Amino acid sequence: MDFILPPSLPDGGIPWEKVLPPLIPRLNGIYGNYQWSPKLLIPESDKTSSAEVNCDNSGFRVQVDVKLFNPEDLLVKVTGDFVEVQGKHEEKKDGAGVSTRQFNRRYRIPKGVDTMALESAVSPEGILIISAPMLQTEDSGIPT
């Protein structure tokens, strides 16, 4: 059976030269007019992240973009040396189908952070801010 394939997916989708070579027996080499290797299937990172983590002398701070979630859809908890963020909600679609959106993230809490004072809040811009101060020591001149 013969298939006629377009040179690329509509609207700038994945080029066929990145999809078809895995269907042929050879893993590396020339396919048609293209040099192909398995690394072509790994998406390039856009170097952007929906989270920012900072820790300095003033404390520990994590900012996570949660614009797609309501505050009641989020759970923040400390488990061992990690702060875990979970978000989950269902979106009704047209017709009988329902789709669910969820994420789970873990961030290691550096030593010296007062996890008992950890706080979280969602800003009006949809950014979850998790923060905790550093533990106070006798060396800092502030009583513990």
Side-chain angles (χ1 to χ4, degrees):
M1 178 184 285
D2 292 330
F3 293 97
I4 299 173
L5 299 174
S8 66
L9 293 173
D11 300 321
I14 300 171
W16 285 106
E17 67 269 19
K18 291 186 179 184
V19 177
L20 288 179
L23 302 176
I24 60 176
R26 167 174 63 193
L27 290 178
N28 286 305
I30 304 291
Y31 180 79
N33 297 329
Y34 303 100
Q35 179 71 29
W36 186 85
S37 72
K39 70 179 183 176
L40 290 174
L41 294 176
I42 301 170
E44 293 180 18
S45 173
D46 60 359
K47 303 290 190 245
T48 61
S49 175
S50 60
E52 182 179 320
V53 181
N54 293 309
C55 187
D56 56 25
N57 292 337
S58 64
F60 173 67
R61 183 177 173 105
V62 178
Q63 294 179 288
V64 184
D65 183 350
V66 293
K67 289 181 183 84
L68 300 175
F69 297 85
N70 293 321
E72 59 270 12
D73 297 331
L74 301 170
L75 173 66
V76 177
K77 64 182 178 180
V78 175
T79 305
D81 292 340
F82 292 89
V83 60
E84 297 183 12
V85 181
Q86 300 172 1
K88 182 176 181 179
H89 70 86
E90 291 185 353
E91 296 179 37
K92 296 251 183 213
K93 295 287 184 182
D94 291 329
V98 175
S99 70
T100 301
R101 181 183 304 270
Q102 70 179 35
F103 74 93
N104 295 300
R105 292 214 170 170
R106 291 174 29 143
Y107 303 96
R108 183 175 297 278
I109 302 170
K111 292 193 183 302
V113 172
D114 186 358
T115 57
M116 297 304 290
L118 188 127
E119 297 178 341
S120 64
V122 178
S123 74
E125 295 80 25
I127 304 298
L128 173 65
I129 301 169
I130 304 166
S131 61
M134 299 302 285
L135 288 168
Q136 300 300 319
T137 63
E138 291 181 25
D139 294 338
S140 65
I142 301 174
T144 57

